[in-house]
């Protein structure tokens, strides 16, 4: 469908599942530089899952993008923004201050977030660039302290636009008892990758499984007998990841305020009755006992990550997507080739299914090898090609 959106002169999308062509809605948005552009947006749902098509640069078809919100994103958004309180007839209360740190290109990241939270319920969209979103250029790594002091970095950029911003965090800056350092101990990171973060930030990481909707759909279609076991398990468990994130954040917040109410507030009230000088009141962290860091609360969370989180390598997932998505087609082609070969032999033998092939056969559970075998052809054809190379002295190129 993305290809039809990209090719159509009017940015329409034809959905075969609905037998319907969707027309775009042109929405006026602001870029990171403040310019106003009109983007063609197409929204639809397939099997209850939303799909959103957009074009970052309306004049460039190559910037067409398909955004697939992850299952339970609405639940996570409602929790973070406090909208779940309103739905229950209560007063809305924001649960967390949310910041975004990404290695994606800035214009894409801005548009993706606008489509995920068009109402600006988590924070106003005009705060996104100057206060809430840090885009980290490759190959630099993400750092929690930089995320929390992004507003300060951005202000420096605006004062001297020609001077590149410094996002290097030194040991000296970490030792400073500033607001960002204090906020870091009360922060939690939600990401599907640990390797993109500095080691010192990883202790605060709530890692989730990567979201690969195409591959997970292919695994589900193939079933546990055909899809690789680790990939099938990952696909089945991925849908509930944002539910786990909501449960974990709810638990962490409860632990934080329980400690605040039962330990910190009573001590603060005791000090106030004794009488504390104004100089000491200006720096209450020197008087009050320290809060338990969020990293320690996270380590004791009862909502553990799924077992499939560490079973797959991220680098293989994109290539496996193509293999699994075409798996049924490959198996059908192999069976047809075997049936034709059996009929040509005239022996009336039944075609041997791909899983039970003898010498040179390929196991169903390994789609990479099966694809290679399908490209090379049956073992008999491979032997004929090898013999031709010996006789002619020239390499054979499959057509």
């Amino acid at each position: 469908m993305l290809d039809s959106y990209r090719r159509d002169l009017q940015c329409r999308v034809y959905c075969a599942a609905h037998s319907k062509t969707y027309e775009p809605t042109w929405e006026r948005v602001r870029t990171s530089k403040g310019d106003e552009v009109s983007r063609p947006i197409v929204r639809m749902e397939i099997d209850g899952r939303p799909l959103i098509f957009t074009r970052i640069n309306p004049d460039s078809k190559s910037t067409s993008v398909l955004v697939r919100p992850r299952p339970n994103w609405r639940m996570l958004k409602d929790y973070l923004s406090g909208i779940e309180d309103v739905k229950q007839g209560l007063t809305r209360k924001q649960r967390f201050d949310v910041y975004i740190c990404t290695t994606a290109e800035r214009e894409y990241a801005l548009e993706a977030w606008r489509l995920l939270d068009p109402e600006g319920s988590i924070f106003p969209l005009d705060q996104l660039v100057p206060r809430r979103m840090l885009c980290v250029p490759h190959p630099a790594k993400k750092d929690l302290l930089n995320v929390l002091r992004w507003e300060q970095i951005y202000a420096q950029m605006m004062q001297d636009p020609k001077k590149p911003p410094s996002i290097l965090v030194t040991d000296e800056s970490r030792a400073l008892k500033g607001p960002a350092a204090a906020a870091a101990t009360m922060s939690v990171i939600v990401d599907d990758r640990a390797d993109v973060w500095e080691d010192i930030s990883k202790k605060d990481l709530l890692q989730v499984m990567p979201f690969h909707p195409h591959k997970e759909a292919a695994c589900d279609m193939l079933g546990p007998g055909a899809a690789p076991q680790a990939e099938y398990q990952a696909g089945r468990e991925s849908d509930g990841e944002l539910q786990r994130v909501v449960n974990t954040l709810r638990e962490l917040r409860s632990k934080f305020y329980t400690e605040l109410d039962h330990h910190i507030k009573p001590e603060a009230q005791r000090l106030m009755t004794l009488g504390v000088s104004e100089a000491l009141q200006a720096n209450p962290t020197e008087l009050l006992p320290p809060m338990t860091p969020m990293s320690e609360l996270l380590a004791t969370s009862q909502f553990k990550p799924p077992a499939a989180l560490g079973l797959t390598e991220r680098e293989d997932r994109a290539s496996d997507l193509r293999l699994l998505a075409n798996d049924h087609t490959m198996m059908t082609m192999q069976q047809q080739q075997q049936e034709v070969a059996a009929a040509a032999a005239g022996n009336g033998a039944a075609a041997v299914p791909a899983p039970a092939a003898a010498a040179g056969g390929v196991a169903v559970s390994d789609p990479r090898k099966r694809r290679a075998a399908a490209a090379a052809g049956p073992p008999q054809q491979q032997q004929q090609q090898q013999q031709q190379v010996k006789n002619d002295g020239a390499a054979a190129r499959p057509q």
Side-chain angles (χ1 to χ4, degrees):
M1 288 189 292
L2 179 59
D3 189 58
S4 69
Y5 174 81
R6 183 186 298 115
R7 294 174 180 273
D8 192 90
L9 296 178
Q10 300 179 25
C11 302
R12 297 171 299 186
V13 178
Y14 176 74
C15 177
H18 298 164
S19 299
K20 177 181 177 181
T21 298
Y22 287 82
E23 300 286 341
T25 300
W26 292 84
E27 299 181 3
R28 302 292 294 178
V29 299
R30 290 196 177 277
T31 67
S32 62
K33 298 179 180 179
D35 301 326
E36 193 174 74
V37 298
S38 184
R39 291 181 177 141
I41 310 298
V42 177
R43 292 180 172 86
M44 68 175 71
E45 283 193 7
I46 297 182
D47 297 330
R49 297 196 174 189
L51 303 178
I52 311 173
F53 298 81
T54 185
R55 185 170 292 172
I56 307 302
N57 181 355
D59 298 324
S60 177
K61 296 180 180 180
S62 62
T63 63
S64 301
V65 176
L66 169 57
V67 178
R68 294 175 178 264
R70 191 165 187 165
N72 294 317
W73 160 246
R74 171 65 67 176
M75 176 191 299
L76 175 59
K77 183 170 73 168
D78 288 353
Y79 171 71
L80 292 173
S81 62
I83 291 181
E84 69 172 20
D85 293 332
V86 178
K87 292 181 177 180
Q88 298 173 10
L90 304 174
T91 302
R92 179 177 172 180
K93 183 181 296 184
Q94 187 106 6
R95 298 300 193 278
F96 284 84
D97 284 331
V98 178
Y99 299 83
I100 303 168
C101 185
T102 178
T103 55
E105 191 272 335
R106 179 176 294 277
E107 292 300 335
Y108 163 77
L110 288 172
E111 177 67 353
W113 183 259
R114 184 187 74 86
L115 296 174
L116 288 171
D117 186 21
E119 308 90 358
S121 60
I122 294 181
F123 52 74
L125 294 178
D126 59 2
Q127 294 184 7
L128 196 53
V129 174
R131 295 182 57 185
R132 302 286 186 158
M133 177 179 286
L134 170 60
C135 293
V136 179
H138 181 79
K141 289 196 173 184
K142 303 176 183 179
D143 192 297
L144 179 58
L145 199 57
N146 270 337
V147 177
L148 297 174
R149 68 187 188 102
W150 168 244
E151 186 175 1
Q152 174 187 351
I153 298 174
Y154 184 81
Q156 294 173 355
M157 290 170 55
M158 294 298 98
Q159 291 177 0
D160 190 357
K162 296 182 179 180
K163 182 179 180 181
S166 174
I167 60 172
L168 177 65
V169 181
T170 63
D171 293 338
E172 291 77 11
S173 60
R174 292 191 192 280
L176 296 176
K177 301 294 184 180
T185 63
M186 299 183 290
S187 301
V188 59
I189 302 166
V190 180
D191 203 332
D192 63 356
R193 295 182 63 178
D195 60 304
V196 298
W197 288 91
E198 295 285 0
D199 290 341
I200 196 170
S201 298
K202 291 180 181 179
K203 65 181 185 303
D204 300 300
L205 176 63
L206 169 56
Q207 189 173 1
V208 299
M209 292 176 59
F211 179 45
H212 297 281
H214 289 292
K215 185 170 186 181
E216 289 157 9
C219 285
D220 189 58
M221 178 184 68
L222 291 174
Q229 180 58 34
E231 299 293 347
Y232 179 76
Q233 185 178 355
R236 299 295 290 177
E237 294 180 347
S238 175
D239 275 5
E241 277 295 81
L242 293 193
Q243 170 74 69
R244 180 174 68 90
V245 170
V246 172
N247 293 339
T248 304
L249 294 180
R250 200 184 300 274
E251 177 194 36
L252 294 177
R253 190 172 184 274
S254 175
K255 289 180 177 179
F256 178 85
Y257 279 101
T258 296
E259 181 176 354
L260 182 66
D261 292 337
H262 290 79
H263 299 285
I264 307 301
K265 286 185 177 180
E267 180 64 13
Q269 292 173 351
R270 187 185 70 83
L271 293 174
M272 291 180 63
T273 57
L274 293 177
V276 180
S277 64
E278 293 184 1
L280 292 177
Q281 291 182 28
N283 192 9
T285 55
E286 298 294 333
L287 296 174
L288 299 174
M291 293 283 295
T292 302
M294 194 64 73
S295 57
E296 295 184 17
L297 300 179
L298 183 62
T300 60
S301 172
Q302 62 175 318
F303 299 102
K304 302 301 180 183
L309 180 61
L311 294 181
T312 58
E313 296 184 9
R314 187 180 182 90
E315 293 76 12
D316 290 338
R317 294 180 68 91
S319 60
D320 282 352
L321 160 61
R322 295 188 293 272
L323 301 176
L324 288 169
N326 293 291
D327 196 70
H328 278 318
T329 302
M330 290 167 13
M331 291 188 63
T332 301
M333 291 175 58
Q334 285 183 328
Q335 291 175 356
Q336 290 176 348
Q337 292 173 355
Q338 292 165 352
E339 290 171 357
V340 171
N347 55 14
V352 180
V362 182
V364 176
S365 61
D366 195 338
R368 298 191 192 96
K369 294 180 180 178
R370 187 159 58 249
R371 184 184 179 98
Q380 182 179 2
Q381 180 181 342
Q382 297 177 35
Q383 294 174 1
Q384 292 175 354
Q385 291 176 351
Q386 293 172 358
Q387 185 64 33
Q388 183 179 357
V389 172
K390 292 180 181 179
N391 295 339
D392 298 342
R397 175 177 295 178
Q399 297 297 321

